[in-house]
């Protein structure tokens, strides 16, 4: 079991404190799993208090022993209830914050109401914006973890040609792929920030199922196995001569990479094959353009222009209810910043890790396209996956 | 693909309206996946408005077509933003609610703040209490779905003796079991209501890993694969003569059943074997006692008394940081009401579905015990699983 190094935690805390001081925030109470892991090295039941100046305090309800063992923070304090926190801060000589940051995009309404009473003299403001901005730029340590996650993801994707076969059901193939991932240490749960963002690995969709849209903000959807969880693989039996789109997340040692490939048992209609080649061309063109300073909007518009030129604008990133993006940040969560989307004017920075995923959806026929994860470096993008981008043709 | 029948949806809506009227709530805006599925038959991106009198309106941002197709509700309305809802209600002749119910335990703080502005003249109150109370008692239709889920769960548990073997890693066995579940239509994602309740199928823990506590409110924990997701299976290699505790959730067609079994390659120390028999005795005793009118507290105290009598009180339901319950409701979510716990004085009702899970934890040695899902009926509990409760001894 690895633990996040002390120097790493210290520099993350210091960087957040910088942002807090620039935003007149005197303290932040970090409650969400991903953020707590990022700033303390552990996820347990409790709260991490980060003052704008001074040392953070990690308050743990359960499991204290594991938190104390795994976190490099000096102050790990057992509590029974977060109501104790203001008094414990006072006892340790901390001034209660006039302005307290909370992760308003993820903590519950009831927690907000409760914390409003617990910190009765503090004004509660959102700190998720600062956190997400900070987390978008990865450290060298994080990039190493993401590279390892990418190598393991490449590795379990290698099993797909042996798993996909006509006559098998989507959910059966999905299960076999997930098993291949777990065997390599995939943590199973994939974190997608935000309300109702329930997720299970990704989607493996054959033929027409690749054209079924969903509630999820992505180009793919799929029927799912029932109306309660209407996303991802269904029970459709794979046929010959149709695309099997595999868009799966590798989540290893806390970090995600996002990857998509298309497989076909037999051959594919020229139209779909051509669309796939266009998607790969878009990816490669974006990978050439993207570097520090370029905006998400520029990349999206450039991708869209290539789709229009190929006569595929209707199919680009969905059909009917398209999404207006062509990629997104990945890290501890699948949907980190930046979003490479219409209207996003924040420039790329070195250290960002992004998934580029140009895809084309043909209702009734299926989905084609590509997805790979890249690190933004000063000269440009560094691609992580070495898995070939072309359609994987399977004999049967 | 099945759809929830119209009569079922209508009676659920009517029952909630009854509860709302008894609590002076004039409308409820249902946003969370499980609740939206329960009251509309679909989960998509949007909001279900249920007035205390009159017809509900299902507002869908994405995917409208799928929602309109799968829901039996008459009024499914495409929206771009939930800000439109008050005006759309006005246009349809609805009076805006003076008191509006929201799922305060699950919606985000930001949603609460936004809805406070959108429904500027409404007082926002919690409606999750009412919803959870209602959902605790299942209809015949739901019980049929849960019985099917139980049969499928029994079925994938049957594969365990062929999957568990000394020399294999926990996460490898977990992956194989999850694959067996997916092949039978397991939806993958298991819903656990509440903040930070990230979950992946359950836990499969061998030997000492069965004694590792976690942040999760259950008797088991496990190391997980990394400090970011420190729950469930790790990389430990299964040995002979130690308990392999498998506590897994079957989630099929929207409904969960919870089940635990212990397997051993070789033989087990008499102490652990005896504790396992005690757990099965406790389960059987509770199953005799439990019927409408009996409280969760009575069942917990009865279980605890048996554990004390067996000299196993320290090990009952954890070690050091024990949880004070012996079972819980299951349904669309894994952690439904009732909780069979200290202090819970609400009586069982016919139609409730509960998992009984007496377990004993021995730090450094492992976890033993049992879990099965039961339906509360007028004469008493109906057990759903037919899988034997004894330790599964494996030759190797």
């Amino acid at each position: 079991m690895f633990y996040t190094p002390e120097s790493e935690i210290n520099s993350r805390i210091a960087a957040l404190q910088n942002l807090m001081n620039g935003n007149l925030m005197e303290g932040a109470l970090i409650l969400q799993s991903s953020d707590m892991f990022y700033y303390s090295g552990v996820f347990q039941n409790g709260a991490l208090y980060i003052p704008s100046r001074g040392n953070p305090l990690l308050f743990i309800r359960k499991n204290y022993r594991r938190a104390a063992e795994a976190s490099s923070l000096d102050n790990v304090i057992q509590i029974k209830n977060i109501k104790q926190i203001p008094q414990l801060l006072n006892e340790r000589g901390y001034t209660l914050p006039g302005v307290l940051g909370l992760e308003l995009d993820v903590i519950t309404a009831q927690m907000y109401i409760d914390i409003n009473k617990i910190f009765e003299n503090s004004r509660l403001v959102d700190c998720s914006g600062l956190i997400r901005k900070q987390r978008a730029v990865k450290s060298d340590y994080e990039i190493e973890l993401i590279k390892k996650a990418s190598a393991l993801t490449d590795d379990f994707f290698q099993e797909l040609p042996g798993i996909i076969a006509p006559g098998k059901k989507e959910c059966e193939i999905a299960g076999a792929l997930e098993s291949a991932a777990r065997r390599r240490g995939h943590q199973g749960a994939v974190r997608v920030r935000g309300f109702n963002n329930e997720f299970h690995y990704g989607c493996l969709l054959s033929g027409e199922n690749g054209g079924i849209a969903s509630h999820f903000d992505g180009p793919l959807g799929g029927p799912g196995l029932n109306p309660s969880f209407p996303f991802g693989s269904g029970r459709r039996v794979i046929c010959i001569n149709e695309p099997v789109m595999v868009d799966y997340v590798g989540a290893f040692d806390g970090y995600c990479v996002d990857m998509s490939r298309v497989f076909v048992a037999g051959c594919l209609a020229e139209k779909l094959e051509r669309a796939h080649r266009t998607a790969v061309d878009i990816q490669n063109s974006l990978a050439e353009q993207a570097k520090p300073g370029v905006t998400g909007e520029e990349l999206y518009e450039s991708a869209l222009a290539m789709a229009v030129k190929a006569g595929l604008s209707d199919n680009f990133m969905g059909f009917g209810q398209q999404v207006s993006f062509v990629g997104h940040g990945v890290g501890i969560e699948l949907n980190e910043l930046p979003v490479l989307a219409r209207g996003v004017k924040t420039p790329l920075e070195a250290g960002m890790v992004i998934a580029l995923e140009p895809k084309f959806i043909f209702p009734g026929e299926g989905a084609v396209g590509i997805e790979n994860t890249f690190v933004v470096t000063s000269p440009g993008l560094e691609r992580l996956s070495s898995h070939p981008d072309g359609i994987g043709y399977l004999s049967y």
Side-chain angles (χ1 to χ4, degrees), chain A:
Chain A
M1 190 78 79
F2 73 97
Y3 297 130
T4 313
E6 186 172 2
S7 58
E8 185 74 16
I9 295 292
N10 290 349
S11 67
R12 293 176 192 177
I13 299 270
L16 180 63
Q17 288 177 325
N18 247 334
L19 289 170
M20 286 164 66
N21 283 312
N23 287 271
L24 308 176
M25 209 179 287
E26 292 159 45
L29 195 67
I30 309 292
L31 294 150
Q32 191 237 23
S33 58
S34 308
D35 295 337
M36 184 184 290
F37 172 64
Y38 182 76
Y39 290 110
S40 75
V42 302
F43 159 44
Q44 293 292 338
N45 182 332
L48 173 66
Y49 182 72
I50 304 180
S52 60
R53 287 181 181 78
N55 292 323
L57 301 172
L58 180 59
F59 298 101
I60 296 293
R61 197 183 75 79
K62 189 170 181 255
N63 183 282
Y64 171 73
R65 194 190 53 70
R66 290 184 71 182
E69 204 174 281
S71 180
S72 70
L73 294 176
D74 288 331
N75 302 298
V76 185
I77 299 153
Q78 171 90 62
I79 57 166
K80 292 204 166 176
N81 193 305
I82 63 164
K83 285 180 192 169
Q84 300 170 258
I85 293 178
Q87 195 191 326
L88 292 169
L89 289 175
N90 275 326
E91 286 169 15
R92 277 160 183 78
Y94 286 73
T95 309
L96 293 186
V99 180
L100 176 65
L102 291 173
E103 302 142 301
L104 297 185
D105 63 334
V106 285
I107 67 163
T108 69
Q110 192 60 56
M111 293 166 81
Y112 178 73
I113 292 167
D114 292 344
I115 292 169
N116 227 336
K117 287 178 193 148
I118 296 172
F119 285 86
E120 53 183 353
N121 295 315
S122 302
R123 188 160 65 82
L124 307 183
V125 299
D126 181 60
C127 64
S128 281
L130 303 185
I131 291 172
R132 298 193 74 203
K133 184 184 150 107
Q134 178 184 350
R135 280 181 41 197
V137 181
K138 275 70 180 172
S139 68
D140 292 346
Y141 170 78
E142 289 185 286
I143 290 169
E144 277 314 302
L145 287 175
I146 292 171
K147 284 182 177 176
K148 281 183 194 162
S150 177
L152 289 162
T153 306
D154 268 14
D155 201 44
F156 77 74
F157 263 70
Q158 304 281 9
E159 293 208 16
L160 275 164
I163 293 173
I164 296 173
K168 285 190 188 173
K169 280 188 292 188
E170 282 178 356
C171 62
E172 177 184 359
I173 298 172
L177 179 62
E178 291 154 16
S179 174
R182 289 284 271 162
R183 200 159 58 239
R184 289 163 174 85
H186 193 296
Q187 68 192 38
V190 172
R191 294 185 166 119
V192 186
R193 196 178 189 100
F195 184 67
N196 273 350
N197 273 339
E198 300 168 345
F199 196 82
H200 185 70
Y201 284 101
C203 16
L204 186 154
L205 303 170
S206 65
E208 64 208 24
N209 276 2
I212 297 179
S214 80
H215 62 285
F216 198 77
D217 274 326
L220 298 172
L225 285 153
N226 59 64
S228 177
F229 192 70
F231 179 72
S233 295
R235 292 183 174 82
R236 188 176 180 280
V237 172
I238 308 277
C239 301
I240 57 167
N241 306 335
E242 64 180 19
V244 180
M245 164 61 80
V246 183
D247 181 349
Y248 259 55
V249 179
F252 296 89
D253 282 343
Y255 283 83
C256 297
V257 297
D258 206 353
M259 185 160 164
S260 305
R261 289 296 184 274
V262 174
F263 297 85
V264 178
C267 58
L268 196 60
E270 207 278 329
K271 178 180 71 174
L272 298 181
E273 208 174 38
R274 193 181 141 260
H276 186 82
R277 281 198 305 273
T278 304
V280 174
D281 288 346
I282 291 174
Q283 170 199 253
N284 294 342
S285 169
L286 297 182
E288 286 286 313
Q289 295 168 62
K291 60 181 169 212
V294 174
T295 69
E297 173 165 73
E298 282 163 358
L299 294 174
Y300 173 74
E301 296 298 345
S302 164
L304 181 61
M306 285 180 76
V308 170
K309 197 172 165 194
L312 291 168
S313 58
D314 284 349
N315 308 86
F316 185 55
M317 301 308 284
F319 193 91
Q321 288 209 330
Q322 281 104 331
V323 290
S324 301
F325 74 86
V326 70
H328 54 89
V330 296
I332 300 170
E333 293 166 316
L334 178 63
N335 54 345
E336 301 209 349
L337 297 178
V339 190
L340 310 180
R342 179 164 289 166
V344 175
K345 302 196 191 299
T346 38
L348 292 185
E349 291 177 52
M352 286 178 169
V353 177
I354 55 175
L356 297 177
E357 58 166 325
K359 288 181 181 129
F360 293 100
I361 313 300
F362 297 85
E365 295 174 275
V368 294
I370 188 75
E371 180 166 28
N372 283 297
T373 300
F374 299 80
V375 180
V376 182
T377 70
S378 316
L381 293 196
E382 179 188 353
R383 172 172 165 152
L384 300 188
S385 170
S386 60
H387 199 291
D389 289 345
I391 290 170
Y393 285 100
L394 314 171
S395 51
Y396 63 96

